[in-house]
Amino acid sequence: MNDALRVALDETGYTTESLAERVGVDPKTVGRWLSENRIPHGRHRVAAAEALGRDVGDIWPDTSRRRDPVWFRPWQEIEREAVALRSFQSVVLPGLLQTEAYARAVLTGAGTLPRADIERHVTTRLTRQGVLRRDDPPQLTAVIDEGILRRPVGGRETMRDQLLSLVTACAEPHIRVHVVPSSVGAYAGLNGPFVLATCPDHRLAGYLDNQLEGQVVSDVDDLAAIMAAWENVRGEALSHWQSVDLIREVAETWS
């Protein structure tokens, strides 16, 4: 809960609806600023603060103290506003579907973060998952390699809980998971993970990850190449419910 924003609304007489109209956003967006403590785009922060007669830093003080990687922030903004996300992962589960224990094990095992920063990154990753719990969540379609299900990240209990959590998530109408079985030979996914986001204005944006930092992709030719890779990995994968059955079956092997 953003208490500073709530107090400002109460004192000025604005509602989420009237502030949304003043700023030029949907009322649900203002509701997320309030209930989920989401940080608006810069222009919306300024417009809202002006309407409420406050300094931006009084309502969103963390914007000047953010410690998540600078290179990741543009993608976070895209992810928050996306109406659809298509993710391929070959090594670990998508961050939006990770349990806390699994996320902690992934970040610890990477060996690139100071111990003091790991919990902060776990919190950031779990907070990002709020996008899937909003009233109008994006349609998430994730394709994963079967090897992810069998890699002992964090130990047997962590893996079993993670896979059962994944099965539960797959029951949501806006979440679809497809597994590329280990029987598939060479396919486009061997070249690395990627995410495609469909923005509210129907534009596409891509995201590529590597050992140093991620890259937001907007070039038309690059997006076409990523889309072709998506069609390849999706074509090699099992159906959603076949995948759910496989995930459930592998989860029992971790008991």
Side-chain angles (χ1 to χ4, degrees):
M1 172 71 75
N2 187 327
D3 290 329
L5 177 57
R6 177 183 57 78
V7 169
L9 289 169
D10 290 343
E11 291 182 350
T12 59
Y14 271 100
T15 64
T16 55
E17 290 78 12
S18 60
L19 183 62
E21 183 177 0
R22 173 70 179 271
V23 175
V25 297
D26 189 275
K28 291 180 181 179
T29 299
V30 177
R32 289 193 288 273
W33 298 348
L34 186 64
S35 62
E36 300 175 19
N37 203 15
R38 291 265 297 276
I39 298 175
H41 290 292
R43 67 181 185 278
H44 294 150
R45 288 198 300 272
V46 172
E50 288 179 351
L52 297 170
R54 300 291 198 278
D55 290 330
V56 172
D58 291 339
I59 303 175
W60 292 285
D62 289 340
T63 57
S64 62
R65 301 197 301 268
R66 290 177 61 173
R67 297 174 61 195
D68 46 313
V70 172
W71 51 262
F72 190 62
R73 294 174 192 172
W75 180 252
Q76 282 185 296
E77 297 293 337
I78 292 169
E79 186 179 70
R80 285 173 184 152
E81 302 300 326
V83 297
L85 293 163
R86 284 170 281 188
S87 173
F88 170 73
Q89 295 292 331
S90 57
V91 180
V92 297
L93 287 171
L96 292 179
L97 296 173
Q98 292 179 8
T99 63
E100 180 176 350
Y102 185 92
R104 184 175 292 108
V106 168
L107 291 166
T108 301
T112 58
L113 290 174
R115 185 179 299 274
D117 288 346
I118 290 174
E119 290 306 313
R120 176 172 54 82
H121 281 269
V122 169
T123 299
T124 298
R125 186 163 297 184
L126 297 180
T127 299
R128 284 173 50 213
Q129 296 176 3
V131 70
L132 297 178
R133 297 189 294 270
R134 71 191 192 196
D135 293 336
D136 56 341
Q139 180 69 41
L140 172 62
T141 303
V143 176
I144 61 174
D145 193 277
E146 183 179 348
I148 293 174
L149 308 180
R150 303 185 186 279
R151 180 170 293 106
V153 175
R156 304 188 70 84
E157 182 178 0
T158 295
M159 285 303 301
R160 184 175 187 276
D161 291 348
Q162 172 64 81
L163 297 191
L164 292 178
S165 174
L166 190 57
V167 169
T168 299
C170 287
E172 297 290 339
H174 60 288
I175 298 175
R176 288 290 179 268
V177 176
H178 302 270
V179 179
V180 178
S182 56
S183 58
V184 172
Y187 70 110
L190 298 181
N191 292 324
F194 58 85
V195 186
L196 282 165
T198 303
C199 302
D201 60 2
H202 306 298
R203 289 182 302 108
L204 284 180
Y207 180 75
L208 303 176
D209 211 349
N210 60 48
Q211 288 284 348
L212 297 178
E213 62 181 46
Q215 175 189 1
V216 176
V217 178
S218 58
D219 179 80
V220 174
D221 291 337
D222 290 341
L223 288 171
I226 298 173
M227 181 61 75
W230 171 260
E231 294 298 331
N232 180 280
V233 300
R234 179 64 187 86
E236 297 290 359
L238 302 173
S239 73
H240 173 64
W241 292 116
Q242 287 175 320
S243 299
V244 171
D245 287 343
L246 177 59
I247 295 167
R248 188 182 291 111
E249 175 185 320
V250 177
E252 293 307 313
T253 69
W254 290 112
S255 298

